[in-house]
Amino acid sequence: TDGHIAFIGAGGSGKTVALRALAVAAASTLAGGPVHVYALDFASGGLRMLERLPHVGAVIAGDDAARVQRLLRTLRAQLEDRARRYSAVSAASIAEYRRVAERPGEPRILLLVDGLTAFRDEWELAIGRSGAYDAFRELLAEGRRVGIHVAVTADRPGALPPSLAARVPR
């Protein structure tokens, strides 16, 4: 309902556990339709255990630059495709699209980013990587309407710059 969410706290406060719980809960949300989960782990590797779940497409370590770029490029393409399809049937949300287009199986997409500070440090201004970070920002800006949601962890509120914080209501 709210779109994106940030879990903020010191090391050991349960941020990664919260992301794992969110990923597990996503599989059991029958009323909300199917959910596909993807994860970028820029923290301690605590999301790896999600790989075995059938609704998890990928858990990617932060040091695997090629896979990080590929995932963000794929999600940006999904965003663009959904925006086009939803506009074609005048759907304002994924729920409306599912109903109007008679596609109840259209999955929500949940992107988990554990360690937003490290992700920003390595991708926001790095040569050859900023395009992937721009894709991430687009997911935050436009994803909610088309059923793409982002959950991030950070060690302090200031880790979310104002341009991103404005897009994360919780």
Side-chain angles (χ1 to χ4, degrees):
T1 301
D2 291 333
H4 313 303
I5 189 168
F7 298 98
I8 299 173
S13 64
K15 300 180 305 283
T16 301
V17 173
L19 289 182
R20 290 193 309 233
L22 188 61
V24 170
S28 63
T29 310
L30 300 176
V35 179
H36 294 174
V37 176
Y38 300 92
L40 297 176
D41 196 335
F42 283 85
S44 63
L47 298 180
R48 278 182 293 198
M49 68 185 325
L50 299 173
E51 288 177 318
R52 294 183 295 260
L53 299 176
H55 65 292
V56 174
V59 176
I60 301 169
D63 61 358
D64 191 341
R67 288 187 70 207
V68 170
Q69 280 185 312
R70 192 166 45 247
L71 175 62
L72 291 172
R73 196 171 39 242
T74 298
L75 292 177
R76 175 189 264 163
Q78 274 287 328
L79 176 74
E80 292 167 356
D81 175 60
R82 286 180 178 210
R84 195 172 32 259
R85 288 187 292 120
Y86 290 24
S87 292
V89 295
S90 300
S93 68
I94 186 170
E96 193 173 311
Y97 177 78
R98 286 172 173 166
R99 189 178 66 256
V100 172
E102 297 179 2
R103 294 196 54 181
E106 177 87 357
R108 287 187 185 275
I109 296 173
L110 175 60
L111 173 62
L112 310 175
V113 180
D114 197 10
L116 180 66
T117 302
F119 173 57
R120 282 186 63 215
D121 288 349
E122 294 177 33
W123 289 85
E124 185 175 24
L125 300 174
I127 296 172
R129 293 185 173 187
S130 61
Y133 188 79
D134 289 343
F136 173 72
R137 288 193 338 221
E138 285 180 41
L139 294 173
L140 284 173
E142 302 168 26
R144 179 178 177 226
R145 184 181 80 78
V146 296
I148 299 174
H149 307 285
V150 180
V152 300
T153 66
D155 56 354
R156 55 186 167 53
L160 237 65
S163 62
L164 297 185
R167 309 287 186 189
V168 180
R170 291 178 84 56

